[in-house]
Amino acid sequence: MNHKIKKYTQLLISLPCLISCSVPTETTRQTPMMGWSSWNSYRVNISDEIIRAAADSLITKGLADLGYRHVNIDDGWFGGVNGDGRNADRTVRVNRERFPNGMRAVADYIHSRGLKAGLYSDAGSNTCGSIYDNDMAGVGVGMWQHDDVDAKTFFVDWNFDHIKIDFCGGGETGKSDYERYTSIRGAIDGTGRKDVTMNICRWEFPGTWAMHTGNSWRVATDIYPNWKDVVKQFQRNLYLSAYAGPGHFNDMDMLEIGNPESQLSRQQEYSHFALWCFMKSPLMIGGKLTTLNAEQLAIYSNKALIEINQDQLGEQPHVIWRTENQYILVADLQQSGGLKRTVCFFNDSDEPYDFTLNLNTVCLGGEVIVHNACSNKEEGVFNGIFGASLAPYEAVVYTLEGERRLQQIRYEAENGFLNNYKPDQSPDRAVAMYASAADVSAKGHVVQLGGSPDNWLQFNDVRVDESGDYTLKVAYKSPEKRNMNIVVNEEQYACTDLITPTHEGKILTLNVSLQKGSNTIRISNSEQFAPDIDYIEII
Ligand code: GLA
């Protein structure tokens, strides 16, 4: 379905839903990491004192009680000399000026305050600080060729609980990011510690291997404390919901509220925090804790937003509607297919904007209670339509609780799981990716599908209320005759000679049988390109 950019009312008739009952529960899972990191406000200029003061501030300002329990020491703690980062026994050198008591002492202090300790290293030989901050003590200190000895030092001898691993020296190792991070993960596991978490700092979605290797991974290059950079992180995370889940999340980088260099307006600070919470990003405060003002502390302390971020279901929201500058996204809360959902309206323009949402579009029927998580106020009870007027650059996150859960009909391809997805693609390794286009549903579709057995798209959680026969519609475009293989759970359908020579898409219709609850639908072509996929519908 096409949506035009209009000032008012977009979602009045889109995506109808059928009535259904709710589906059973998920169990307790891991949630996004919360805490403070030194990088944004201090860069490499850190010290034992600064880290201890940050740990103290998390407690005295009440942030630890809200869940901010990680104190992460970023780049700047290394003590390489003239390119030599290692002692005679291969252990890494520490910067004794900045950390005179050594790293174990600072980790012990963090632990003594009931908090978790995080550290930074690099998958290659040299840190990013050695390149961009001219910190020569970061040369020759990275993990490359020392994975085992560093894992033992960091997690056994020093007792850290978390590590962020950069890739600045990674390119020079001759190994892929997959190989380096997998090796490091193996070395960490080899220490016998089962509780160590790892952040993959590769400055883009690294590939689906990251889901099994890291607990979070950066989706973009570094955030800077201005609005353009905040929005860049959000945009880079828009179509990555299929890869996030309990214990593994897309990381939109550290929060900039309270960074002394910040150019964000107060409204933009509110929106920044709301978007990070809503998108299930780790919540790492990058501001200076000692100088946070009362309003900034209140932004970080919004319990209703933190609760959404820390929801046990761990479902990252997906886009249901957008223009160039306005977005609506939705996710389940607490239970897949249940009665509680969270919705965000985001107006990234310099004009106010009136959003209107047909509640059927988010599959909630009957009377729907809408709670505003940003202001912590009830909006009221709505039947059919809910709308709100947003200020320039405002993001508002709501929790919705309906009387009935309606069966979802349309699943956008750009919210699906791409098995080989990699955002930066070399011309000789084109893999399926999300692309935006004005004339496709929700302004996004999947292109470059097929051509090898593993370059497929999968809809992982297609839910129906009753087992039985359904009509599956697949909206596609195909400039020449192409084929695709559709696998519905175990059942295969070969669809051949599909062609759409004009810009108009076409709909392929199949009769399929689905089971009650969750189903998977995979689209592939092992030899050649499959058509571009816009969406599927289940009726
Ligand atoms: C890279 C990372 C940042 C920070 C610096 C440290 O730029 O992306 O988050 O860790 O390195 O040098």
Side-chain angles (χ1 to χ4, degrees):
M1 174 172 326
N2 300 328
H3 296 288
K4 292 220 172 77
I5 303 177
K6 282 196 292 183
K7 198 103 174 50
Y8 298 96
T9 312
Q10 291 74 28
L11 291 170
L12 292 173
I13 351 170
S14 53
L15 311 191
C17 297
L18 303 173
I19 292 180
S20 87
C21 36
S22 57
V23 186
T25 59
E26 300 279 344
T27 49
T28 310
R29 317 281 186 110
Q30 290 166 274
T31 59
M33 184 171 66
M34 293 174 68
W36 174 83
S37 169
S38 55
W39 182 251
N40 287 4
S41 291
Y42 296 93
R43 296 192 74 96
V44 293
N45 305 310
I46 48 173
S47 66
D48 181 280
E49 220 175 303
I50 288 172
I51 303 300
R52 286 175 196 240
D56 294 346
S57 294
L58 284 182
I59 291 164
T60 54
K61 292 184 187 292
L63 291 162
D65 283 344
L66 292 165
Y68 295 95
R69 299 198 150 263
H70 271 267
V71 178
N72 286 2
I73 305 173
D74 207 287
D75 203 351
W77 64 268
F78 300 97
V81 182
N82 298 330
D84 185 1
R86 301 274 153 185
N87 299 307
D89 60 357
R90 292 210 290 127
T91 54
V92 66
R93 288 189 169 149
V94 174
N95 191 317
R96 287 282 165 181
E97 268 168 41
R98 294 176 184 159
F99 292 90
N101 309 310
M103 304 312 287
R104 172 79 199 211
V106 76
D108 280 351
Y109 184 78
I110 295 168
H111 287 143
S112 77
R113 312 267 13 212
L115 304 172
K116 297 256 185 204
L119 199 61
Y120 164 97
S121 190
D122 194 284
S125 293
N126 304 333
T127 65
C128 292
S130 72
I131 303 170
Y132 301 106
D133 288 61
N134 207 23
D135 183 21
M136 287 309 127
V139 176
V141 295
M143 292 184 80
W144 172 231
Q145 294 178 322
H146 303 287
D147 292 350
D148 291 357
V149 82
D150 280 1
K152 179 174 170 296
T153 305
F154 300 161
F155 308 114
V156 180
D157 299 345
W158 295 349
N159 208 19
F160 279 87
D161 309 293
H162 170 80
I163 187 129
K164 164 179 173 178
I165 298 176
D166 229 330
F167 204 70
C168 269
E172 286 142 40
T173 63
K175 301 281 181 194
S176 68
D177 46 8
Y178 162 74
E179 289 169 314
R180 287 300 298 124
Y181 285 99
T182 309
S183 162
I184 293 167
R185 180 81 251 177
I188 296 172
D189 294 345
T191 64
R193 291 263 316 256
K194 300 280 175 241
D195 57 334
V196 173
T197 49
M198 178 166 99
N199 174 271
I200 297 173
C201 185
R202 192 63 192 85
W203 326 299
E204 64 177 15
F205 177 71
T208 52
W209 56 266
M211 298 166 68
H212 317 290
T213 313
N215 299 86
S216 58
W217 48 83
R218 287 268 299 277
V219 297
T221 50
D222 292 6
I223 193 167
Y224 285 90
N226 62 66
W227 184 243
K228 194 168 137 267
D229 264 76
V230 167
V231 174
K232 175 187 81 180
Q233 299 290 335
F234 171 74
Q235 286 172 337
R236 293 293 290 268
N237 199 13
L238 273 180
Y239 300 111
L240 298 177
S241 59
Y243 311 103
H248 51 98
F249 295 97
N250 291 297
D251 175 8
M252 293 157 74
D253 208 353
M254 295 159 283
L255 292 148
E256 294 285 15
I257 302 143
N259 182 336
E261 308 287 313
S262 176
Q263 295 156 27
L264 298 173
S265 69
R266 191 65 82 221
Q267 175 59 70
Q268 291 168 345
E269 290 185 335
Y270 275 102
S271 299
H272 179 17
F273 189 67
L275 290 172
W276 263 235
C277 287
F278 178 72
M279 294 298 277
K280 303 283 186 313
S281 176
L283 299 180
M284 297 306 294
I285 299 173
K288 236 180 205 170
L289 289 175
T290 43
T291 54
L292 279 185
N293 66 37
E295 209 169 340
Q296 290 167 330
L297 183 60
I299 293 175
Y300 280 128
S301 306
N302 183 322
K303 281 190 188 161
L305 284 173
I306 292 172
E307 203 179 306
I308 290 169
N309 180 264
Q310 295 293 302
D311 180 47
Q312 299 292 320
L313 185 63
E315 184 175 305
Q316 180 176 319
H318 60 267
V319 179
I320 53 165
W321 172 88
R322 66 173 293 187
T323 68
E324 265 312 288
N325 297 314
Q326 284 83 21
Y327 306 82
I328 302 178
L329 292 90
V330 67
D332 280 345
L333 286 175
Q334 296 176 7
Q335 177 183 328
S336 286
L339 298 176
K340 286 195 183 158
R341 308 202 83 188
T342 180
V343 166
C344 176
F345 294 164
F346 176 32
N347 174 27
D348 180 25
S349 87
D350 53 9
E351 299 279 325
Y353 192 88
D354 292 337
F355 285 81
T356 306
L357 174 67
N358 180 339
L359 293 163
N360 279 354
T361 356
V362 292
C363 299
L364 291 176
E367 303 213 311
V368 179
I369 304 164
V370 180
H371 182 263
N372 182 328
C374 293
S375 64
N376 205 11
K377 292 204 177 102
E378 295 300 328
E379 296 285 347
V381 178
F382 298 83
N383 207 321
I385 304 285
F386 169 68
S389 182
L390 266 65
Y393 310 119
E394 189 176 16
V396 183
V397 175
Y398 303 96
T399 54
L400 276 62
E401 184 165 4
E403 268 181 303
R404 290 188 302 279
R405 180 67 182 239
L406 312 178
Q407 191 171 290
Q408 185 172 335
I409 291 181
R410 182 171 296 192
Y411 294 80
E412 296 289 348
E414 62 273 23
N415 297 326
F417 179 90
L418 298 176
N419 189 46
N420 283 349
Y421 182 54
K422 190 90 177 145
D424 76 332
Q425 305 192 359
S426 56
D428 57 332
R429 195 179 167 267
V431 294
M433 56 187 267
Y434 314 101
S436 49
D439 58 350
V440 295
S441 170
K443 300 211 161 27
H445 60 162
V446 165
V447 301
Q448 293 184 179
L449 194 60
S452 75
D454 52 1
N455 191 26
W456 41 258
L457 156 69
Q458 187 159 293
F459 299 88
N460 276 332
D461 193 20
V462 176
R463 288 186 164 268
V464 290
D465 304 325
E466 300 300 337
S467 298
D469 294 333
Y470 289 84
T471 302
L472 167 65
K473 294 188 168 186
V474 182
Y476 67 93
K477 281 190 186 180
S478 188
E480 76 252 333
K481 271 190 189 171
R482 292 182 181 180
N483 304 332
M484 64 180 159
N485 196 31
I486 302 183
V487 185
V488 180
N489 297 325
E490 308 280 276
E491 201 74 36
Q492 297 216 27
Y493 302 83
C495 310
T496 53
D497 295 337
L498 305 165
I499 182 161
T500 55
T502 63
H503 272 298
E504 293 285 297
K506 274 192 185 166
I507 307 281
L508 171 90
T509 302
L510 292 174
N511 295 322
V512 299
S513 93
L514 298 175
Q515 69 209 16
K516 180 176 174 166
S518 184
N519 298 266
T520 57
I521 297 181
R522 182 181 294 188
I523 302 182
S524 65
N525 181 331
S526 298
E527 284 93 38
Q528 283 144 355
F529 273 140
D532 299 339
I533 306 296
D534 187 0
Y535 60 83
I536 63 167
E537 284 186 351
I538 294 293
I539 293 157

